[in-house]
Amino acid sequence: MNDLTPPLHSLSHITDWVFDLDNTLYPRECNLFAQIDVRITHYVMDLTKLDFEAARALQKTYYRDFGTTLNGLMQRHEVDPDHFLSSVHAIDYSPVEAHPDLVAAIGALPGRKFILTNGDVGHARSVLARLGGDDLFEHVYDIRAMTYVPKPHREAYAGFFATHGVDPTRAVMFDDLEKNLVVPHEMGMATVQVVAGPDFAHEQVDEWELGRGSSAHVHHITDDLARFLRERP
């Protein structure tokens, strides 16, 4: 399947293409983020001395309420963000397969291409190397550039726009999480939610993480990013 909603908004005016990284530029089905997710749980366990289930519940609460678990841990436990990021990204990247069709589709887009991620640059570069798209993007605007205030907070987007001279009315945001598209829509961006296939389920993924937007702030939904970009409205 491609675009799962009627084409409500044309993208013909877009000059800046802004992509989330995790579960967006690679399919959620490869379960790369599941590795990070487990490492975050163990990080919370080591920090709080909670058992697995309690640490996991706290992790997901912070993820939902603070935008990232890291933000919650910084706010409530004063963790060192560099230590956290290096710990949770010590993963096996081999599940991310080369995707020449996606690389070609992004490369053919008219204008600048950016990554706006709550992860860090090192993690993004590792993913892009696996995809085969090391030189696709003008810049990776990461959690450090956000001064650790992540999406969906307005400051994350505003800082990105200011740093790179992005006019949000001529830009589009691609993200897997519906909540991360609220502010982009409010600021004038076009929005595309990139979702897993309809049959995807995983014990580590809460229902809200797989929600498909039905509100005005989600302009398009797709479970095939490469095809959507080739056939963009």
Side-chain angles (χ1 to χ4, degrees):
M1 296 178 69
N2 179 26
D3 190 359
L4 303 179
T5 52
L8 303 176
H9 297 262
S10 170
L11 302 182
S12 61
H13 65 295
I14 298 300
T15 57
D16 289 314
W17 306 79
V18 187
F19 296 84
D20 177 44
L21 179 76
D22 289 307
N23 300 320
T24 298
L25 288 181
Y26 61 82
R28 185 183 283 274
E29 286 86 346
C30 80
N31 290 322
L32 184 75
F33 197 78
Q35 293 185 56
I36 299 171
D37 189 67
V38 168
R39 293 191 70 84
I40 293 173
T41 303
H42 284 284
Y43 193 98
V44 174
M45 290 174 66
D46 291 342
L47 178 71
T48 63
K49 309 309 177 187
L50 295 171
D51 64 23
F52 183 89
E53 292 302 326
R56 184 154 192 80
L58 182 63
Q59 166 193 347
K60 290 294 188 175
T61 296
Y62 285 167
Y63 183 32
R64 184 188 65 238
D65 295 347
F66 289 89
T68 59
T69 304
L70 171 58
N71 192 28
L73 292 174
M74 291 178 69
Q75 297 291 331
R76 297 291 175 83
H77 304 273
E78 299 182 347
V79 303
D80 173 10
D82 290 324
H83 182 260
F84 175 90
L85 290 167
S86 63
S87 299
V88 304
H89 290 142
I91 60 171
D92 173 16
Y93 285 89
S94 63
V96 179
E97 298 181 352
H99 199 331
D101 288 346
L102 178 60
V103 169
I106 294 173
L109 295 172
R112 299 185 297 173
K113 300 96 177 179
F114 298 94
I115 290 176
L116 178 59
T117 176
N118 285 344
D120 65 9
V121 169
H123 173 56
R125 294 300 178 198
S126 296
V127 169
L128 292 175
R130 293 291 304 173
L131 289 173
D134 303 73
D135 58 354
L136 269 182
F137 295 93
E138 179 153 328
H139 189 78
V140 177
Y141 195 87
D142 75 341
I143 193 64
R144 291 187 177 91
M146 298 174 192
T147 63
Y148 303 104
V149 180
K151 300 177 295 180
H153 296 283
R154 184 174 293 265
E155 297 93 323
Y157 307 93
F160 166 70
F161 296 150
T163 298
H164 293 288
V166 172
D167 176 356
T169 67
R170 296 184 62 81
V172 58
M173 183 76 215
F174 296 82
D175 204 293
D176 64 300
L177 295 180
E178 178 187 355
K179 69 175 184 175
N180 287 347
L181 297 175
V182 174
V183 171
H185 165 75
E186 291 174 350
M187 299 181 82
M189 296 182 83
T191 63
V192 182
Q193 187 182 9
V194 181
V195 298
D199 298 327
F200 176 81
H202 196 287
E203 62 182 6
Q204 292 172 223
V205 181
D206 287 352
E207 185 176 350
W208 68 267
E209 298 175 71
L210 296 176
R212 299 182 179 210
S214 58
S215 301
H217 64 270
V218 178
H219 302 165
H220 303 280
I221 303 177
T222 184
D223 61 7
D224 186 337
L225 180 58
R227 185 176 176 187
F228 178 88
L229 294 174
R230 290 195 307 269
E231 301 176 357
R232 60 190 182 275

